[in-house]
Amino acid sequence: MSINWFPGHMAKTRKEIKENLKFVDVIIEIRDARIVRSSSNPDIDDICKNKPRIILLNKSDLAEDSITRQWINKLSTDLVKVTSVNSINGKGLSNIKPIINSLLKEKHDKLKEKGLTNIITRAMVVGIPNVGKSSFINRMANNNRAKVGDKPGVTRSKQWIKTNIGIELLDTPGVLWPKFEDEEVGLNLAFTGAIKDEIMDIETLAFKLIEKLQKDYPDRLKQRYKLEFLSEDTLENMNNIGRKRGAVISGGNIDYNRVSVMILDEFRGGKLGPISLERP
């Protein structure tokens, strides 16, 4: 399944991130806790490598806690700190300020020596599409985020979004990278909705998701769709799910489009329970 998606505005975003680095103290990178590796844009690693960075593993309620903790341990370094959050209900967001303060301690100490006490930290928020950047920013800004025009071709000045914890946020559009060399990465992004369904073969995508879940989470599939058993044949499992959910058309055939949309929606909505598609 070939996936290659790099709209022109994303090249512009990459340039914008580079240009704005000099205006910020720290990078806040948001990833999807279910696909920590796949939702990491390697361009971000390259562009932001010399800046202090905090990685937020968002949608943590949809991933397995034990695996998320493994990712936190694996990715944390002196310059990069990692924590899990849920931008919808606010869980974990209170950890962000202390972590950023620890990353910027040396810089803040020097400012305090000069007599500066009211220190405002500026952070650039980056991440690929659909990892929850907007939810995070709105939550941090208490849903009082300034609105900006979205007309194409209109140059807009940088807009800093204020929070009540002494951090100003600079938003950037969600950016993917030019080519997915690893098919699994592309599939994981498509499973979670980071790539628009409109450009995908939705039936093949759902088939691939069932194939992965029957291997890693067989009990979840059986429980959710009330299946007595799972076959080694993915298509048979897809057919059985369709029959259980009444997705049958004339002649007793399965409505694969309906089954596919349902399975993807229920996975993305957490109806199958917390699932981590990648492990460290």
Side-chain angles (χ1 to χ4, degrees):
M1 190 174 187
S2 177
I3 301 171
N4 192 344
W5 189 57
F6 191 62
H9 77 272
M10 292 189 173
K12 182 182 174 186
T13 300
R14 190 163 53 184
K15 182 181 176 186
E16 186 180 309
I17 290 172
K18 284 182 180 178
E19 291 174 348
N20 287 327
L21 271 180
K22 58 181 175 287
F23 300 114
V24 302
D25 305 296
V26 64
I27 304 296
I28 298 177
E29 180 189 357
I30 302 182
R31 301 189 192 180
D32 187 322
R34 295 168 295 179
I35 53 167
V36 176
R37 181 174 68 95
S38 294
S39 59
S40 161
N41 185 337
D43 283 351
I44 299 298
D45 280 341
D46 183 52
I47 295 168
C48 305
K49 60 188 172 188
N50 296 320
K51 277 281 182 184
R53 182 169 28 143
I54 176 172
I55 297 175
L56 305 181
L57 304 185
N58 195 26
K59 307 187 183 184
S60 58
D61 57 312
L62 299 178
E64 288 195 68
D65 284 340
S66 60
I67 294 173
T68 299
R69 286 195 296 271
Q70 291 174 34
W71 277 113
I72 290 171
N73 292 334
K74 180 179 175 63
L75 297 174
S76 297
T77 68
D78 289 342
L79 202 61
V80 178
K81 302 301 178 188
V82 189
T83 190
S84 61
V85 299
N86 181 337
S87 295
I88 301 299
N89 64 19
K91 183 179 179 182
L93 296 184
S94 61
N95 296 328
I96 293 173
K97 175 77 170 181
I99 292 173
I100 288 178
N101 285 345
S102 71
L103 281 169
L104 299 177
K105 184 179 186 306
E106 189 176 333
K107 182 175 184 176
H108 287 174
D109 286 347
K110 287 179 180 176
L111 291 173
K112 288 173 183 175
E113 286 173 9
K114 295 177 181 178
L116 292 171
T117 54
N118 187 25
I119 300 171
I120 299 294
T121 298
R122 286 188 151 182
M124 179 160 54
V125 184
V126 300
I128 68 167
N130 206 42
V131 290
K133 282 200 303 109
S134 295
S135 299
F136 166 73
I137 289 172
N138 287 334
R139 186 87 189 190
M140 294 295 285
N142 292 320
N143 296 312
N144 193 29
R145 158 176 202 184
K147 291 182 173 63
V148 296
D150 59 357
K151 293 179 182 177
V154 176
T155 303
R156 62 182 175 89
S157 59
K158 283 183 288 298
Q159 187 156 47
W160 296 96
I161 300 154
K162 293 185 177 181
T163 70
N164 58 8
I165 58 171
I167 298 174
E168 292 185 356
L169 304 174
L170 178 63
D171 190 14
T172 59
V175 58
L176 284 170
W177 53 103
K179 185 174 67 173
F180 308 119
E181 294 174 356
D182 183 341
E183 184 189 49
E184 185 180 355
V185 169
L187 284 171
N188 285 338
L189 291 168
F191 292 152
T192 55
I195 300 172
K196 293 179 180 178
D197 287 341
E198 289 80 1
I199 69 165
M200 304 298 300
D201 178 342
I202 204 78
E203 294 176 15
T204 301
L205 187 61
F207 179 92
K208 291 283 189 180
L209 178 59
I210 295 171
E211 188 175 59
K212 189 170 183 66
L213 294 178
Q214 72 189 30
K215 175 174 169 284
D216 295 340
Y217 291 94
D219 291 341
R220 301 279 182 83
L221 269 183
K222 285 195 290 187
Q223 183 178 355
R224 178 66 189 171
Y225 298 110
K226 297 180 172 56
L227 303 175
E228 295 176 10
F229 68 95
L230 281 180
S231 169
E232 292 183 4
D233 183 340
T234 304
L235 183 59
E236 185 178 344
N237 292 329
M238 195 171 187
N239 289 339
N240 288 337
I241 290 171
R243 292 188 189 96
K244 285 288 186 180
R245 288 300 181 89
V248 181
I249 52 180
S250 60
N253 295 315
I254 301 299
D255 184 342
Y256 288 113
N257 184 264
R258 184 177 163 194
V259 174
S260 301
V261 170
M262 177 196 68
I263 288 169
L264 289 166
D265 282 350
E266 294 192 359
F267 163 72
R268 291 168 183 169
K271 301 286 179 62
L272 282 81
I275 287 174
S276 296
L277 294 178
E278 293 178 322
R279 288 161 172 73

